[in-house]
Amino acid sequence: MVIDSENLESLLDTGYIERVQIQRINPEGRQDMDDIVVREQPLTIVLNDQELVTLLSSPADMKYLAVGFLSSEGMLNDRSDIKRIAHDERRGIVWVETTNKTPLEPEVLHRRLITSGCGRGASFYSATDVQADMRVESSTTMAASKITDLVMEFQHRSEVYRATGGVHSAALSDGQRIVAFHEDIGRHNAVDKVFGDCILNDISTADGIIITSGRISSEILLKIAHHKIPVLISKSAPTNLGLNLANNLGITLIGFVRGKRMNVYTNAWRVTG
Amino acid sequence: MVIDSENLESLLDTGYIERVQIQRINPEGRQDMDDIVVREQPLTIVLNDQELVTLLSSPADMKYLAVGFLSSEGMLNDRSDIKRIAHDERRGIVWVETTNKTPLEPEVLHRRLITSGCGRGASFYSATDVQADMRVESSTTMAASKITDLVMEFQHRSEVYRATGGVHSAALSDGQRIVAFHEDIGRHNAVDKVFGDCILNDISTADGIIITSGRISSEILLKIAHHKIPVLISKSAPTNLGLNLANNLGITLIGFVRGKRMNVYTNAWRVTG
């Protein structure tokens, strides 16, 4: 990968990437040389003294990741729910203490655990449950031209991605501009970092729009539904389960935004112009 | 995405993709049209009557996925460990009963659970533990030209990927040709399906080579180390943690294979010619 040396130094400072020694082989022979790789670090989230989950993530904005993950899982709602938060960078642990310390039922904890990360419990997928509890009722609309503008701004900001090709980006927009932006090796983590940023810095997510670089699977839909986000925009494609959930949850799903073209998969009434 | 109609019909038959109705917006206006999306389905693995994990995966070869996941997690080693295996397609459950039914300790179960999926426990990352338990000692070597040939064959076989851009591929090679090949929306699942296929169909993985379309993170390294795989080839890049693990585990890590070029990140002595 080609990065000019000035950009490389500033990227190394962010903690997202690391310099390594590789051997490059091509038809002319082999050569020892410097290269860069993206960094990956385990983060363990401890909620009220209970070890909850370990996520593999880019080592930046770990508090945002922890708070965003907890809020996307419905374990806290806003900043007033957080009594104390501490981060041990060396050991890769974030402790969160909430004001309401209802201990998690072993059954809930079990379900939570098996359903975090890449997998999620089948029980979450019942369309009936989803409609009753989580439907997003927002009447917000946005112009197609605004969507293409926002995605252009989004791409412009994805500097680690452009440099390494190795991370996903996610952003919150208020419909006019991007108000929170994060990158992570995990596409779920990038979205959770955005929500954590919003909670810890009092950025409103009401009628907000989430933009993501990654594929839209069911888990992303459940995360944004917890935050009552009415519009989800991706540069990539949804899965059928993501699409069905968006449909049932009342969320407008827009994919494959490329230049002035896009596919609207569900609830197209929110896209005007 | 553009697929000719003959390929489309045979792809729809595989269960990997589904036809959907979308609204396409471009500068000329909007148009209702048919499109396809990749399918995603939860699979719950029940080991000896204990619910272990739920994975989101492409709905094909679910028994391979379950058996491969269990073997990569060290919960079974070969076909003789499996007493019974059953699959309920409608409910998305695979039950596996092993001959040795040592119940999992709650502590182990807890750790396993929180470390599955996208996240994995920090304890697994101790380089000392890893070296002692899991180091791959194989003295196998392979020619650089063979690597480029295998990756070309690998790409040629990735038909769902080529059609949809939405799934990852993984394969096992014996050093001469590809002997097992699978695709899945999850890059970990594709690798586990390969191992499940090998176990259930008595395909030897000794001195085998794993090829993957996806990024190489630490989890993939731990999976292949459990199977004593000495060479890992990717079309993409490793993370720093993946690279460090490969180094400590004695695994040869080759990335960015493009035409006759490649980067060798660790244990380059296994690549000859």
Side-chain angles (χ1 to χ4, degrees):
Chain A
M1 57 197 71
V2 184
I3 305 178
D4 66 60
S5 59
E6 197 180 321
N7 272 338
L8 177 60
E9 289 308 325
S10 77
L11 275 170
L12 284 165
D13 284 344
T14 62
Y16 278 98
I17 60 168
E18 186 175 294
R19 223 187 278 262
V20 295
Q21 267 264 312
I22 67 160
Q23 200 168 95
R24 184 157 294 162
I25 299 181
N26 62 29
E28 287 75 50
R30 43 176 90 197
Q31 192 187 355
D32 288 318
M33 56 190 295
D34 277 340
D35 199 5
I36 57 165
V37 293
V38 290
R39 293 180 66 206
E40 175 194 9
Q41 198 169 288
L43 172 72
T44 299
I45 302 174
V46 180
L47 175 64
N48 298 326
D49 299 324
Q50 214 160 10
E51 190 179 321
L52 196 67
V53 72
T54 298
L55 306 168
L56 291 169
S57 63
S58 297
D61 300 315
M62 294 298 212
K63 281 188 187 177
Y64 292 168
L65 176 55
V67 169
F69 179 86
L70 292 172
S71 65
S72 292
E73 295 292 316
M75 293 174 185
L76 60 83
N77 291 313
D78 55 41
R79 211 172 57 166
S80 68
D81 293 335
I82 303 170
K83 194 173 164 189
R84 224 166 52 93
I85 178 163
H87 178 205
D88 183 331
E89 216 171 299
R90 199 183 53 77
R91 291 166 65 201
I93 303 175
V94 170
W95 291 265
V96 177
E97 198 182 324
T98 52
T99 45
N100 182 353
K101 273 195 222 175
T102 320
L104 298 166
E105 298 289 326
E107 185 49 39
V108 171
L109 190 65
H110 182 76
R111 182 164 300 283
R112 288 284 170 196
L113 294 174
I114 67 162
T115 61
S116 68
C118 288
R120 187 176 278 272
S123 64
F124 282 80
Y125 290 98
S126 157
T128 328
D129 291 358
V130 160
Q131 281 178 315
D133 290 324
M134 295 166 72
R135 203 175 157 81
V136 179
E137 302 291 355
S138 163
S139 61
T140 200
T141 62
M142 69 188 301
S145 61
K146 195 71 213 172
I147 292 169
T148 59
D149 289 352
L150 282 173
V151 171
M152 220 179 304
E153 187 188 343
F154 177 74
Q155 277 182 265
H156 183 68
R157 291 186 63 165
S158 304
E159 61 174 301
V160 180
Y161 175 76
R162 279 204 314 277
T164 66
V167 300
H168 286 286
S169 316
L172 177 81
S173 168
D174 58 7
Q176 294 306 313
R177 57 190 194 90
I178 287 174
V179 292
F181 179 90
H182 288 279
E183 295 182 290
D184 198 282
I185 56 161
R187 64 196 162 84
H188 302 154
N189 295 344
V191 170
D192 280 337
K193 280 180 177 177
V194 166
F195 287 127
D197 186 357
C198 292
I199 287 172
L200 289 172
N201 297 304
D202 287 325
I203 299 166
S204 168
T205 58
D207 289 342
I209 290 132
I210 289 285
I211 309 169
T212 165
S213 61
R215 195 182 55 203
I216 301 174
S217 59
S218 53
E219 284 187 289
I220 301 288
L221 260 300
L222 291 171
K223 279 182 192 295
I224 72 155
H226 266 291
H227 295 274
K228 302 288 176 202
I229 298 291
V231 180
L232 178 60
I233 299 172
S234 172
K235 292 199 56 204
S236 184
T239 65
N240 72 325
L241 207 49
L243 190 155
N244 293 342
L245 273 171
N247 199 31
N248 292 332
L249 291 165
I251 291 169
T252 299
L253 192 59
I254 302 158
F256 278 111
V257 184
R258 307 273 163 99
K260 292 186 187 307
R261 296 167 171 275
M262 66 192 75
N263 292 347
V264 187
Y265 292 93
T266 58
N267 296 291
W269 60 268
R270 283 206 186 90
V271 183
T272 61
Chain B
M1 58 197 71
V2 184
I3 305 178
D4 66 62
S5 59
E6 196 180 319
N7 273 338
L8 178 60
E9 289 308 325
S10 76
L11 274 171
L12 284 165
D13 285 346
T14 62
Y16 278 98
I17 58 168
E18 185 175 294
R19 224 188 278 264
V20 295
Q21 267 264 312
I22 67 160
Q23 200 169 93
R24 183 156 295 162
I25 299 180
N26 62 31
E28 287 76 49
R30 42 176 91 197
Q31 192 187 356
D32 288 317
M33 56 190 295
D34 279 341
D35 199 5
I36 57 164
V37 293
V38 290
R39 294 179 67 205
E40 175 194 7
Q41 199 168 287
L43 172 72
T44 298
I45 302 173
V46 180
L47 176 65
N48 299 325
D49 298 323
Q50 212 158 12
E51 190 179 322
L52 196 68
V53 73
T54 298
L55 306 168
L56 292 169
S57 64
S58 297
D61 302 314
M62 294 298 212
K63 281 188 188 176
Y64 291 168
L65 175 57
V67 169
F69 179 86
L70 291 173
S71 66
S72 292
E73 295 292 316
M75 293 174 184
L76 59 82
N77 292 314
D78 54 42
R79 212 172 57 165
S80 69
D81 292 334
I82 302 170
K83 194 172 166 191
R84 223 168 52 93
I85 179 164
H87 179 206
D88 183 331
E89 216 170 300
R90 199 184 52 78
R91 290 166 65 201
I93 304 175
V94 171
W95 289 267
V96 178
E97 198 182 322
T98 53
T99 45
N100 183 354
K101 272 195 223 174
T102 320
L104 297 166
E105 297 289 328
E107 185 49 37
V108 171
L109 191 65
H110 181 79
R111 182 163 299 285
R112 288 284 171 196
L113 295 173
I114 66 162
T115 60
S116 68
C118 288
R120 188 176 277 274
S123 64
F124 282 79
Y125 289 99
S126 156
T128 328
D129 290 0
V130 160
Q131 280 179 316
D133 292 323
M134 296 166 72
R135 202 176 159 83
V136 179
E137 302 291 354
S138 164
S139 60
T140 200
T141 61
M142 69 188 301
S145 61
K146 196 71 214 172
I147 293 169
T148 58
D149 288 353
L150 282 173
V151 171
M152 221 180 303
E153 187 188 343
F154 177 75
Q155 275 180 268
H156 183 70
R157 292 186 63 166
S158 305
E159 59 175 303
V160 179
Y161 175 76
R162 278 205 314 277
T164 66
V167 301
H168 286 285
S169 316
L172 177 81
S173 169
D174 58 7
Q176 294 306 313
R177 57 190 194 90
I178 287 175
V179 292
F181 179 90
H182 288 279
E183 294 182 290
D184 198 282
I185 56 160
R187 65 196 160 84
H188 302 153
N189 295 344
V191 170
D192 279 336
K193 281 180 176 177
V194 166
F195 287 126
D197 185 357
C198 292
I199 287 172
L200 289 172
N201 298 305
D202 287 325
I203 300 167
S204 166
T205 57
D207 288 340
I209 290 130
I210 289 286
I211 309 169
T212 166
S213 62
R215 196 181 55 204
I216 301 173
S217 59
S218 52
E219 284 187 290
I220 300 287
L221 260 300
L222 292 170
K223 279 182 192 296
I224 72 155
H226 266 290
H227 296 273
K228 302 286 175 204
I229 298 291
V231 180
L232 179 59
I233 299 171
S234 172
K235 291 198 57 207
S236 184
T239 65
N240 72 326
L241 207 49
L243 190 155
N244 293 342
L245 274 171
N247 199 31
N248 292 331
L249 291 165
I251 292 169
T252 299
L253 192 59
I254 302 158
F256 278 109
V257 185
R258 308 272 162 98
K260 293 187 186 305
R261 296 168 172 275
M262 67 193 74
N263 293 345
V264 187
Y265 293 93
T266 59
N267 296 291
W269 61 268
R270 282 206 188 88
V271 183
T272 60

